[in-house]
Amino acid sequence: MLRSVVRGCGSYLPERIVTNAELAQRVDTSDEWIVQRTGIHQRHVAAEGETTSMIGLKAARAALADAGMDASEIDLIVVATATPDHTFPATATQIQAELGITEGAAFDLQAVCSGFVFGLATADKFLRSGAARAALVIGAETFSRILDWEDRATCVLFGDGAGAVVLKAEEGGGTLADRGVLTTHIRSDGRFKNKLYVDGGAGSTKTVGFLRMEGKEVFRHAVVKLAETVQHTFSETGLSGRDIDWFVPHQANRRIIDATADKLGISHDRVVVTVDRHGNTSAASIPLALAEAHRDGRIQPGQLVLIEAMGGGFTWGSALIRW
Ligand code: ACO
């Protein structure tokens, strides 16, 4: 059977770093409050004119270089983003054009913070069915553009950035020993729309809007739903938290990450954490963390990597990958 094997991974963070101390000059908050509640110390913010497609392109180029592959080999681009350059065309087609690709398909996918897991699950289906040969799955966000910088409850949480993986369809034996994406689980439940949303849009207000969130409610749902989606992976594969080499969760909040790892029986030294330096970069957070741990040699070929995320909608999901 065909498997979607990770051939490369790359990321990009905008140059400008905004510390908690800088935010404390703008809104009534403190470094102590932010660190204690979220684990976030700083975040990157895109420069004026630096768009989601620009940072996504940099991550994509880094992933292709890591894979040692040429852009012409890619016949599917999925960009997970809630902050596209324009309402249309898709950010993915902009990146496709910049890469000089004129074959295959490129489209955006909207599942907010779960976007990368949804994108990986989607690309995996294309590759395993033989509909595509090699895919770029990109998570790229400029959440700084949809933040209400006067709302201390949300503006301290998010950051900008992009990450990408190159997946290639390769023959596998159909067992858990195969390299590649082994299982994916994605879920949505639109009843929770009002817990986390943007209060504008092309089809309603004709504006972009600002992010709004009931933080406590999101927190409560996150720990339950994230553990539930991973339990599906465990029951399907017969694996447990002890079998996971690296847990790379969506980076929203250090307390959510720790509580989820504890629930799943995954020791904290097996968890990749970037939220302290990146904040919550939505769909970009997992590929940013994957790229960091891949680059610094923590994640090694053949190891089992578990990813999970939850985001607005609600949407949530997980994937198990043998690197
Ligand atoms: N600085 C100082 N005080 C603040 C700040 C701030 N930046 N923000 C809120 N407060 C105040 C509130 O006004 C409130 O004050 P009050 O008691 O006088 O009314 C007090 O702090 C407590 O506020 P809560 O919202 O109850 O604080 P909580 O402990 O729940 O922490 C937080 C808030 C960090 C947002 C938390 O709920 C959380 O992390 N939720 C998850 C949200 C999240 O991660 N969303 C990301 C998108 S979804 C995802 O990616 C999974």
Side-chain angles (χ1 to χ4, degrees), residues 29 33 37 113 152-153 196 213 215-216 250 252-253 280 310:
T29 190
W33 192 96
R37 304 289 175 119
C113 298
R152 67 176 182 175
L196 176 56
M213 178 173 70
K216 255 197 195 344
H250 168 50
N253 181 313
N280 180 349
M310 188 188 108

Side-chain angles (χ1 to χ4, degrees), residues 200-255:
S204 53
T205 59
K206 295 190 271 183
T207 63
V208 173
F210 291 121
L211 183 147
R212 306 292 174 202
M213 178 173 70
E214 287 179 36
K216 255 197 195 344
E217 280 290 293
V218 173
F219 194 110
R220 197 170 62 79
H221 281 280
V223 179
V224 175
K225 289 184 162 52
L226 292 171
E228 174 206 284
T229 182
V230 174
Q231 289 303 347
H232 281 130
T233 300
F234 287 167
S235 50
E236 187 186 322
T237 57
L239 298 170
S240 75
R242 284 187 304 279
D243 300 309
I244 302 304
D245 292 303
W246 293 105
F247 180 45
V248 187
H250 168 50
Q251 309 281 320
N253 181 313
R254 183 69 202 241
R255 289 187 299 149

Side-chain angles (χ1 to χ4, degrees), residues 279-294:
N280 180 349
T281 56
S282 185
S285 92
I286 292 173
L288 270 161
L290 286 172
E292 181 174 291
H294 169 65

Side-chain angles (χ1 to χ4, degrees), residues 91-151:
T91 300
T93 58
Q94 302 306 292
I95 294 174
Q96 182 196 33
E98 290 294 332
L99 290 172
I101 303 172
T102 54
E103 302 288 330
F107 56 86
D108 288 1
L109 185 151
Q110 162 63 289
V112 208
C113 298
S114 314
F116 183 77
V117 178
F118 276 58
L120 190 88
T122 304
D124 180 47
K125 307 281 185 250
F126 276 83
L127 294 172
R128 289 201 313 166
S129 71
R133 290 186 309 273
L136 261 170
V137 182
I138 304 167
E141 302 277 20
T142 48
F143 258 51
S144 60
R145 307 255 153 76
I146 54 165
L147 293 178
D148 174 353
W149 287 98
E150 315 223 309
D151 176 14

